[in-house]
Amino acid sequence: MRTATTVEGSGGHSFRETLDFVLEAEKLGLDMAFVAEAWGSDGPSVLGYLAARTDRLLLGSGVMQVGIRTAVAVAQVALTLSDMSDGRFVLGLGPSGPQVIEGLHGVPFAKPLTRTRETVEIVRQAFAGEKVAFAGVTQQIPLPGGEGRPMRLSTAPNPGIPIYLATMSPKMLALTGEVADGWLGTSFVPEGAAAYFTHLDAGIAAAGRTRTDLDVCQGAEVAFAADPDELRGMVAERRKGLAFSLGGMGSASTNFYHDAYSRQGWADVAAAVRERWQGGDREGAAELVTDEMVLGTTLIGTEDMVRARLRVWRDAGVDTVRLYPAGETLDERLTTLARALELVPRGAS
């Protein structure tokens, strides 16, 4: 398995601390670092700075949201970052959700599947150095009826930039299997992996590809407990965060995290948690989250538990594991990351 992490430019830490974390993670042997965007700092600015400060680490957008930039602007960012990093850049794209796309950016969250597919097609045209011309459902280039003509970017072609998609719904997963080089997954429980892989594999088969053509990249928090008592406390602390994912991420009617957990065997619990959360009972919602749910979707436990769990992830089909190390300080997070990196299985199962 390869190893990765995700950072933000404006997360709960200063940018200087984020930079120090990435630089030390590279020294520890981490393979990849993705930069999140969400509703905080933009990703490309952070990635450009990291490209200048790192030497070996692969860097990825994790993720740039489809629809808030034109497809050609996305291609320009990717080509620039790949050049700045000497080819160490991976373009991660995702449809996000209506709460961010419409509520923050004022862009309709319409036809996300079609928009994502069309964006990938346009980006690959630009990567190849072709004149960009596209007549789609969500995007028209050049704009019909105007004075524009098809143009190509003045930058050098670079068709080899990998494109990863962050997707969760069945149709989006099938699209990922069909057109992407990698899948940035979340809310993953290896025992329920069929809820994802059934749809990914359908897309892979439709494109005449194999699973080896897709880097399955999954992420989870990693934290170490000294004994069962400490572990119980750690699990209890994380119930509210999972309750937020089930009940508060997205809108009352559109929550891809809730749907993902439901498809993996927790439909009843997910529905009850969402009902309480939406009703304002946050504590009650957290109480409904089970220990099994927390442990199933994280890498939390004793060192032996985390080692065994990583092997389960590998055997379930995960190629790259994104580690989110727990810790209150930079040193604590780096210590956790170093311990986890020693446990990641590197060979085949």
Side-chain angles (χ1 to χ4, degrees), residues 57-347:
L57 201 63
L58 287 173
L59 301 170
S61 54
V63 296
M64 290 175 62
Q65 298 151 342
V66 172
I68 66 172
R69 299 174 179 87
T70 69
V72 173
V74 170
Q76 288 176 297
V77 167
L79 286 162
T80 302
L81 288 170
S82 184
D83 186 41
M84 292 173 69
S85 64
D86 293 326
R88 293 184 288 120
F89 178 69
V90 171
L91 175 60
L93 298 172
S96 189
Q99 192 171 48
V100 172
I101 298 300
E102 296 183 350
L104 183 61
H105 295 286
V107 177
F109 189 68
K111 301 185 182 299
L113 178 69
T114 302
R115 180 175 289 279
T116 302
R117 178 187 291 276
E118 292 183 355
T119 296
V120 171
E121 291 182 25
I122 295 166
V123 165
R124 286 208 165 116
Q125 276 191 29
F127 283 177
E130 301 172 4
K131 288 186 176 181
V132 181
F134 192 85
V137 175
T138 68
Q139 301 174 68
Q140 301 275 327
I141 305 174
L143 194 66
E147 299 180 15
R149 297 291 183 269
M151 297 174 60
R152 62 169 53 90
L153 295 177
S154 61
T155 50
N158 189 351
I161 298 174
I163 299 177
Y164 285 39
L165 292 180
T167 55
M168 299 178 75
S169 68
K171 289 183 179 180
M172 280 288 190
L173 290 165
L175 175 66
T176 302
E178 181 184 348
V179 306
D181 300 296
W183 173 46
L184 293 172
T186 188
S187 304
F188 177 80
V189 181
E191 290 79 6
Y196 292 111
F197 287 131
T198 297
H199 307 292
L200 284 168
D201 289 340
I204 288 170
R209 308 201 305 165
T210 67
R211 183 79 72 79
T212 58
D213 295 316
L214 186 75
D215 178 26
V216 174
C217 180
Q218 277 294 338
E221 181 188 12
V222 58
F224 293 99
D227 52 50
D229 286 340
E230 185 179 5
L231 178 58
R232 279 191 289 271
M234 292 168 63
V235 170
E237 289 174 0
R238 285 152 178 82
R239 287 198 183 100
K240 192 165 186 178
L242 185 47
F244 170 68
S245 293
L246 295 170
M249 283 291 285
S251 64
S253 59
T254 305
N255 183 329
F256 300 118
Y257 297 89
H258 173 277
D259 295 345
Y261 280 102
S262 296
R263 288 193 296 270
Q264 293 179 97
W266 285 305
D268 292 342
V269 175
V273 170
R274 180 164 68 177
E275 181 179 0
R276 289 205 181 182
W277 189 279
Q278 294 291 332
D281 183 9
R282 308 294 168 80
E283 296 299 327
E287 289 174 1
L288 294 175
V289 175
T290 67
D291 291 359
E292 181 188 16
M293 293 179 75
V294 175
L295 292 172
T297 192
T298 61
L299 295 166
I300 295 176
T302 63
E303 196 164 282
D304 286 343
M305 289 173 64
V306 173
R307 179 187 291 108
R309 199 66 184 157
L310 282 165
R311 289 173 179 160
V312 171
W313 278 46
R314 178 198 59 189
D315 295 344
V318 175
D319 302 301
T320 302
V321 57
R322 294 195 317 280
L323 301 166
Y324 309 142
E328 294 296 322
T329 67
L330 174 63
D331 286 343
E332 288 176 355
R333 290 190 295 134
L334 287 170
T335 298
T336 300
L337 179 63
R339 290 180 69 182
L341 290 175
E342 291 293 323
L343 304 179
V344 174
R346 293 291 184 170

